[in-house]
Amino acid sequence: MSTRSLLGLFALLLAACAPDPRDWPVAHDLAAELPLAEASRAGGPRLPRPPAPPDRNLAASVQEGIALAVGARIDGYFEVDGRAALGIDGLTSRGGSPAVEVLAQAEGEPERSLARLSPGVRAGAWELPGRGARLVRWTLRATGAPAAWAIVRRPVIRKQRLEAVVSPRLAIDLSIGGAKASPSVRPRPNVVLYLIDTLRADRLGAYGSKRGLTPRIDAFARGSTLFEHAYSASSWTRPSTATILTGLSPLEHGVTRLDRRLPEAIRTLPERLHDAGYETAAWSANAHITRETGFAQGFDRFEYFDDLPRADALGRRALAWVDGLAPREGAPFFLYLHTIDPHAP
Protein backbone atom coordinates (compact mmCIF):
# COMPACT_ATOMS: atom_id res chain seq x y z
CA MET A 1 0.00 0.00 0.00
CA SER A 2 1.37 3.43 -0.98
CA THR A 3 2.13 6.20 1.50
CA ARG A 4 -0.73 8.26 0.04
CA SER A 5 -3.17 5.38 0.57
CA LEU A 6 -1.99 4.93 4.16
CA LEU A 7 -2.49 8.64 4.84
CA GLY A 8 -5.96 8.50 3.29
CA LEU A 9 -6.91 5.50 5.44
CA PHE A 10 -5.55 7.26 8.56
CA ALA A 11 -7.64 10.36 7.76
CA LEU A 12 -10.78 8.22 7.35
CA LEU A 13 -10.14 6.53 10.70
CA LEU A 14 -9.69 9.91 12.40
CA ALA A 15 -12.94 11.16 10.87
CA ALA A 16 -14.79 8.07 12.03
CA CYS A 17 -13.48 8.49 15.58
CA ALA A 18 -14.05 12.25 15.79
CA PRO A 19 -16.68 13.20 18.39
CA ASP A 20 -20.08 14.35 17.13
CA PRO A 21 -20.35 18.18 17.42
CA ARG A 22 -23.69 17.65 19.18
CA ASP A 23 -21.73 16.14 22.08
CA TRP A 24 -19.24 19.01 22.43
CA PRO A 25 -19.56 21.12 25.58
CA VAL A 26 -21.74 24.23 25.35
CA ALA A 27 -19.65 27.43 25.26
CA HIS A 28 -22.51 29.92 24.94
CA ASP A 29 -26.28 29.60 25.26
CA LEU A 30 -27.47 32.13 22.68
CA ALA A 31 -31.09 32.12 23.83
CA ALA A 32 -29.96 33.18 27.30
CA GLU A 33 -27.61 35.86 25.99
CA LEU A 34 -30.00 37.34 23.41
CA PRO A 35 -33.34 38.61 24.81
CA LEU A 36 -36.29 37.18 22.86
CA ALA A 37 -37.82 40.57 22.16
CA GLU A 38 -34.60 41.91 20.66
CA ALA A 39 -34.10 38.83 18.50
CA SER A 40 -37.67 39.03 17.22
CA ARG A 41 -37.06 42.52 15.86
CA ALA A 42 -33.71 41.75 14.25
CA GLY A 43 -33.27 42.65 10.61
CA GLY A 44 -31.51 45.00 8.23
CA PRO A 45 -32.93 48.29 6.99
CA ARG A 46 -34.17 46.78 3.72
CA LEU A 47 -36.12 43.94 5.37
CA PRO A 48 -39.91 44.18 5.87
CA ARG A 49 -41.17 45.08 9.31
CA PRO A 50 -41.79 41.84 11.27
CA PRO A 51 -45.47 41.10 11.90
CA ALA A 52 -46.99 41.19 15.35
CA PRO A 53 -46.66 37.93 17.33
CA PRO A 54 -49.63 35.62 16.71
CA ASP A 55 -50.32 35.35 20.44
CA ARG A 56 -49.34 37.27 23.55
CA ASN A 57 -47.83 34.17 25.11
CA LEU A 58 -45.15 33.72 22.44
CA ALA A 59 -42.34 34.86 24.74
CA ALA A 60 -43.49 32.56 27.52
CA SER A 61 -43.60 29.60 25.11
CA VAL A 62 -40.01 30.08 23.93
CA GLN A 63 -38.11 30.16 27.20
CA GLU A 64 -35.08 28.43 25.70
CA GLY A 65 -35.20 29.68 22.12
CA ILE A 66 -35.09 32.60 19.71
CA ALA A 67 -38.17 33.68 17.75
CA LEU A 68 -37.67 35.15 14.27
CA ALA A 69 -40.44 36.67 12.14
CA VAL A 70 -40.32 35.72 8.46
CA GLY A 71 -38.09 38.25 6.72
CA ALA A 72 -35.92 38.85 9.80
CA ARG A 73 -32.41 37.65 10.57
CA ILE A 74 -30.03 37.72 13.50
CA ASP A 75 -26.24 37.74 13.36
CA GLY A 76 -23.57 37.09 15.94
CA TYR A 77 -19.79 37.35 16.01
CA PHE A 78 -17.56 35.01 17.99
CA GLU A 79 -13.82 34.72 18.39
CA VAL A 80 -13.10 31.03 17.98
CA ASP A 81 -9.91 29.12 18.73
CA GLY A 82 -10.13 25.53 17.58
CA ARG A 83 -13.17 23.61 16.38
CA ALA A 84 -16.59 25.02 17.24
CA ALA A 85 -20.14 24.38 16.09
CA LEU A 86 -23.56 26.03 16.09
CA GLY A 87 -26.17 23.65 17.47
CA ILE A 88 -29.92 23.73 18.01
CA ASP A 89 -32.45 21.48 19.76
CA GLY A 90 -35.02 21.79 16.98
CA LEU A 91 -37.32 24.18 15.11
CA THR A 92 -41.00 24.91 15.62
CA SER A 93 -43.27 27.61 14.21
CA ARG A 94 -46.26 29.87 14.79
CA GLY A 95 -48.70 31.03 12.12
CA GLY A 96 -47.28 29.03 9.20
CA SER A 97 -44.38 26.84 8.06
CA PRO A 98 -41.31 29.06 7.82
CA ALA A 99 -37.78 27.81 7.21
CA VAL A 100 -34.57 28.97 8.86
CA GLU A 101 -31.32 29.15 6.94
CA VAL A 102 -28.14 28.68 9.00
CA LEU A 103 -25.17 30.60 7.57
CA ALA A 104 -21.60 31.13 8.75
CA GLN A 105 -18.56 33.07 7.59
CA ALA A 106 -14.99 32.94 8.84
CA GLU A 107 -13.04 36.17 8.56
CA GLY A 108 -11.42 36.40 5.12
CA GLU A 109 -13.53 33.55 3.69
CA PRO A 110 -16.80 33.49 1.70
CA GLU A 111 -20.10 32.99 3.51
CA ARG A 112 -21.29 29.38 3.70
CA SER A 113 -24.78 27.93 4.07
CA LEU A 114 -24.62 25.25 6.76
CA ALA A 115 -28.23 24.05 6.79
CA ARG A 116 -31.82 24.90 5.91
CA LEU A 117 -34.20 23.93 8.70
CA SER A 118 -37.93 23.22 8.56
CA PRO A 119 -40.40 22.95 11.47
CA GLY A 120 -40.11 19.61 13.23
CA VAL A 121 -36.41 19.18 12.45
CA ARG A 122 -34.44 17.21 15.03
CA ALA A 123 -31.50 18.46 17.03
CA GLY A 124 -28.33 19.05 15.09
CA ALA A 125 -24.96 20.83 15.13
CA TRP A 126 -23.00 22.30 12.25
CA GLU A 127 -19.28 22.97 12.49
CA LEU A 128 -18.27 26.61 12.01
CA PRO A 129 -15.84 27.28 9.13
CA GLY A 130 -12.16 28.16 9.37
CA ARG A 131 -9.21 26.88 11.35
CA GLY A 132 -7.18 28.18 14.28
CA ALA A 133 -7.90 31.47 16.03
CA ARG A 134 -10.40 33.43 13.95
CA LEU A 135 -13.50 35.61 13.95
CA VAL A 136 -16.66 33.81 12.81
CA ARG A 137 -20.05 35.29 12.04
CA TRP A 138 -23.13 33.08 12.35
CA THR A 139 -26.54 33.98 10.93
CA LEU A 140 -30.08 32.67 11.41
CA ARG A 141 -32.47 33.89 8.68
CA ALA A 142 -36.21 33.13 8.56
CA THR A 143 -37.93 32.71 5.18
CA GLY A 144 -41.40 31.70 4.06
CA ALA A 145 -44.92 33.10 3.94
CA PRO A 146 -45.50 36.46 5.69
CA ALA A 147 -47.00 36.63 9.20
CA ALA A 148 -45.21 33.45 10.31
CA TRP A 149 -42.66 33.01 13.10
CA ALA A 150 -39.83 30.48 13.35
CA ILE A 151 -38.78 29.42 16.84
CA VAL A 152 -35.22 28.11 17.03
CA ARG A 153 -35.01 25.92 20.13
CA ARG A 154 -31.97 26.53 22.34
CA PRO A 155 -29.34 27.65 19.84
CA VAL A 156 -25.86 27.24 21.33
CA ILE A 157 -22.21 27.57 20.38
CA ARG A 158 -20.36 24.33 21.16
CA LYS A 159 -16.60 23.81 21.35
CA GLN A 160 -14.66 20.58 20.98
CA ARG A 161 -12.20 21.10 23.82
CA LEU A 162 -12.89 22.60 27.21
CA GLU A 163 -9.72 24.66 27.02
CA ALA A 164 -10.65 26.19 23.66
CA VAL A 165 -11.52 29.88 23.85
CA VAL A 166 -14.86 31.00 22.43
CA SER A 167 -15.86 34.50 23.51
CA PRO A 168 -18.71 36.83 22.42
CA ARG A 169 -17.59 39.85 20.45
CA LEU A 170 -18.96 43.11 19.05
CA ALA A 171 -22.66 43.40 18.22
CA ILE A 172 -23.92 40.32 20.02
CA ASP A 173 -22.05 40.50 23.33
CA LEU A 174 -25.14 41.12 25.50
CA SER A 175 -23.80 39.00 28.38
CA ILE A 176 -20.89 41.33 29.07
CA GLY A 177 -22.42 42.80 32.21
CA GLY A 178 -22.55 39.55 34.11
CA ALA A 179 -20.09 36.71 33.71
CA LYS A 180 -16.58 36.81 35.11
CA ALA A 181 -13.78 35.65 32.86
CA SER A 182 -12.37 32.22 33.56
CA PRO A 183 -8.58 31.83 33.88
CA SER A 184 -8.38 30.31 30.38
CA VAL A 185 -10.06 33.25 28.64
CA ARG A 186 -7.83 35.78 26.91
CA PRO A 187 -7.51 39.26 28.45
CA ARG A 188 -10.44 41.45 27.51
CA PRO A 189 -9.65 43.98 24.79
CA ASN A 190 -9.60 47.73 25.13
CA VAL A 191 -12.35 49.32 23.02
CA VAL A 192 -12.06 52.67 21.21
CA LEU A 193 -15.10 54.14 19.44
CA TYR A 194 -13.92 57.07 17.31
CA LEU A 195 -16.71 58.99 15.58
CA ILE A 196 -15.84 61.58 12.92
CA ASP A 197 -18.99 63.66 12.52
CA THR A 198 -20.12 64.37 8.90
CA LEU A 199 -17.11 62.75 7.25
CA ARG A 200 -18.16 61.56 3.78
CA ALA A 201 -17.15 58.02 2.91
CA ASP A 202 -16.38 59.01 -0.70
CA ARG A 203 -13.55 61.26 0.50
CA LEU A 204 -11.68 58.30 2.03
CA GLY A 205 -9.16 56.36 -0.01
CA ALA A 206 -10.32 53.20 1.77
CA TYR A 207 -13.69 53.67 0.05
CA GLY A 208 -12.32 54.47 -3.40
CA SER A 209 -11.37 58.16 -3.35
CA LYS A 210 -8.32 59.03 -5.48
CA ARG A 211 -7.72 62.42 -3.83
CA GLY A 212 -5.18 61.16 -1.29
CA LEU A 213 -6.79 63.09 1.58
CA THR A 214 -6.71 60.35 4.24
CA PRO A 215 -3.47 58.31 4.04
CA ARG A 216 -3.43 57.32 7.73
CA ILE A 217 -7.06 56.19 7.79
CA ASP A 218 -6.45 54.28 4.57
CA ALA A 219 -3.39 52.55 6.05
CA PHE A 220 -5.36 51.65 9.17
CA ALA A 221 -8.18 50.25 7.02
CA ARG A 222 -5.81 48.02 5.06
CA GLY A 223 -5.00 46.09 8.24
CA SER A 224 -8.53 46.08 9.61
CA THR A 225 -12.03 44.78 8.93
CA LEU A 226 -13.71 47.34 6.64
CA PHE A 227 -17.49 47.38 6.34
CA GLU A 228 -18.49 48.24 2.78
CA HIS A 229 -22.20 48.80 3.48
CA ALA A 230 -23.40 50.85 6.46
CA TYR A 231 -26.73 52.53 7.10
CA SER A 232 -27.38 55.55 9.28
CA ALA A 233 -30.29 55.33 11.69
CA SER A 234 -31.14 58.99 11.10
CA SER A 235 -30.10 62.07 9.15
CA TRP A 236 -28.78 64.02 12.18
CA THR A 237 -26.43 63.53 15.10
CA ARG A 238 -28.44 62.98 18.26
CA PRO A 239 -30.66 60.04 17.20
CA SER A 240 -27.86 58.47 15.13
CA THR A 241 -25.41 58.51 18.05
CA ALA A 242 -28.08 57.24 20.44
CA THR A 243 -28.55 54.26 18.12
CA ILE A 244 -24.79 53.60 17.96
CA LEU A 245 -24.53 53.58 21.77
CA THR A 246 -27.71 51.58 22.48
CA GLY A 247 -28.34 49.34 19.45
CA LEU A 248 -31.94 50.61 19.37
CA SER A 249 -33.72 52.36 16.52
CA PRO A 250 -34.76 56.03 17.03
CA LEU A 251 -38.38 54.98 17.51
CA GLU A 252 -37.25 52.67 20.33
CA HIS A 253 -34.88 55.01 22.20
CA GLY A 254 -37.13 58.03 21.55
CA VAL A 255 -34.41 60.56 20.73
CA THR A 256 -36.17 61.97 17.65
CA ARG A 257 -36.43 65.74 18.32
CA LEU A 258 -34.31 68.59 19.61
CA ASP A 259 -36.13 68.57 22.95
CA ARG A 260 -35.54 64.83 23.53
CA ARG A 261 -32.69 63.48 25.66
CA LEU A 262 -31.47 59.88 25.93
CA PRO A 263 -33.61 58.31 28.70
CA GLU A 264 -31.74 57.10 31.78
CA ALA A 265 -33.81 53.91 31.77
CA ILE A 266 -32.13 52.78 28.52
CA ARG A 267 -28.87 50.89 29.09
CA THR A 268 -26.04 52.06 26.90
CA LEU A 269 -22.84 50.42 25.69
CA PRO A 270 -20.65 52.39 28.16
CA GLU A 271 -22.98 51.38 31.01
CA ARG A 272 -22.69 47.70 30.10
CA LEU A 273 -18.92 47.95 29.83
CA HIS A 274 -18.65 49.92 33.07
CA ASP A 275 -20.69 47.25 34.87
CA ALA A 276 -18.30 44.64 33.45
CA GLY A 277 -15.29 46.37 35.04
CA TYR A 278 -14.15 48.64 32.21
CA GLU A 279 -12.72 52.10 32.81
CA THR A 280 -14.84 54.43 30.63
CA ALA A 281 -14.26 57.94 29.29
CA ALA A 282 -15.63 60.19 26.54
CA TRP A 283 -14.64 63.46 24.86
CA SER A 284 -17.21 65.24 22.68
CA ALA A 285 -16.98 68.32 20.47
CA ASN A 286 -20.60 68.10 19.32
CA ALA A 287 -23.33 70.09 21.10
CA HIS A 288 -25.76 67.18 20.71
CA ILE A 289 -23.54 64.83 22.74
CA THR A 290 -23.49 66.31 26.26
CA ARG A 291 -24.51 65.53 29.82
CA GLU A 292 -27.66 67.58 29.30
CA THR A 293 -28.74 65.38 26.39
CA GLY A 294 -28.19 62.18 28.41
CA PHE A 295 -25.01 60.87 26.78
CA ALA A 296 -22.80 60.82 29.88
CA GLN A 297 -24.46 57.61 31.12
CA GLY A 298 -21.92 54.94 32.06
CA PHE A 299 -18.81 57.10 31.70
CA ASP A 300 -16.36 57.51 34.59
CA ARG A 301 -15.19 60.67 32.85
CA PHE A 302 -17.17 62.71 30.33
CA GLU A 303 -16.05 66.01 28.82
CA TYR A 304 -17.83 68.23 26.30
CA PHE A 305 -16.12 71.24 24.71
CA ASP A 306 -18.30 73.99 23.23
CA ASP A 307 -15.35 75.78 21.62
CA LEU A 308 -15.07 73.18 18.82
CA PRO A 309 -11.54 71.94 19.52
CA ARG A 310 -9.69 70.18 16.72
CA ALA A 311 -9.60 66.41 16.72
CA ASP A 312 -5.90 66.34 17.58
CA ALA A 313 -6.60 68.34 20.76
CA LEU A 314 -9.29 65.84 21.81
CA GLY A 315 -6.91 63.01 20.97
CA ARG A 316 -4.17 64.40 23.19
CA ARG A 317 -6.59 64.69 26.12
CA ALA A 318 -7.77 61.12 25.57
CA LEU A 319 -4.22 59.75 25.36
CA ALA A 320 -3.29 61.59 28.56
CA TRP A 321 -6.23 59.90 30.29
CA VAL A 322 -5.15 56.48 29.00
CA ASP A 323 -1.54 57.09 30.10
CA GLY A 324 -2.75 58.12 33.56
CA LEU A 325 -4.86 55.03 34.20
CA ALA A 326 -3.73 53.07 37.21
CA PRO A 327 -3.00 49.52 36.02
CA ARG A 328 -5.55 47.06 37.38
CA GLU A 329 -5.53 43.40 36.45
CA GLY A 330 -8.43 42.54 34.18
CA ALA A 331 -9.57 46.18 33.89
CA PRO A 332 -9.51 47.28 30.24
CA PHE A 333 -10.81 50.66 29.05
CA PHE A 334 -13.56 51.95 26.76
CA LEU A 335 -12.80 55.27 25.09
CA TYR A 336 -15.32 57.28 23.03
CA LEU A 337 -14.28 60.31 20.99
CA HIS A 338 -16.77 62.41 19.02
CA THR A 339 -14.91 64.81 16.70
CA ILE A 340 -16.49 67.36 14.39
CA ASP A 341 -13.70 68.83 12.22
CA PRO A 342 -15.37 68.29 8.77
CA HIS A 343 -18.72 69.72 9.90
CA ALA A 344 -18.57 73.53 9.65
CA PRO A 345 -17.19 73.89 6.09
Side-chain angles (χ1 to χ4, degrees), residues 126-146:
W126 299 270
E127 191 164 350
L128 298 175
R131 292 290 181 269
R134 65 205 184 275
L135 182 67
V136 177
R137 185 195 75 201
W138 57 266
T139 299
L140 300 175
R141 181 168 60 197
T143 60

Side-chain angles (χ1 to χ4, degrees), residues 207-218:
Y207 287 93
S209 173
K210 304 301 183 183
R211 299 188 179 194
L213 301 175
T214 55
R216 294 183 180 178
I217 292 178
D218 302 339

Side-chain angles (χ1 to χ4, degrees), residues 73 75-80 105 135-139 167-173 225 227:
R73 62 181 280 166
D75 300 85
Y77 293 83
F78 283 83
E79 282 184 344
V80 177
Q105 182 177 14
L135 182 67
V136 177
R137 185 195 75 201
W138 57 266
T139 299
S167 58
R169 177 170 172 174
L170 303 178
I172 297 300
D173 190 359
T225 298
F227 295 86

Side-chain angles (χ1 to χ4, degrees), residues 17-32:
C17 298
D20 191 321
R22 290 174 293 183
D23 298 327
W24 296 353
V26 173
H28 289 281
D29 187 331
L30 303 180

Side-chain angles (χ1 to χ4, degrees), residues 114-174:
L114 302 183
R116 184 175 176 83
L117 312 178
S118 301
V121 68
R122 296 181 179 179
W126 299 270
E127 191 164 350
L128 298 175
R131 292 290 181 269
R134 65 205 184 275
L135 182 67
V136 177
R137 185 195 75 201
W138 57 266
T139 299
L140 300 175
R141 181 168 60 197
T143 60
W149 287 73
I151 300 159
V152 183
R153 297 283 179 180
R154 203 183 176 221
V156 297
I157 298 293
R158 296 183 177 276
K159 57 185 180 181
Q160 185 182 22
R161 299 183 304 276
L162 287 173
E163 64 271 15
V165 176
V166 184
S167 58
R169 177 170 172 174
L170 303 178
I172 297 300
D173 190 359
L174 299 182

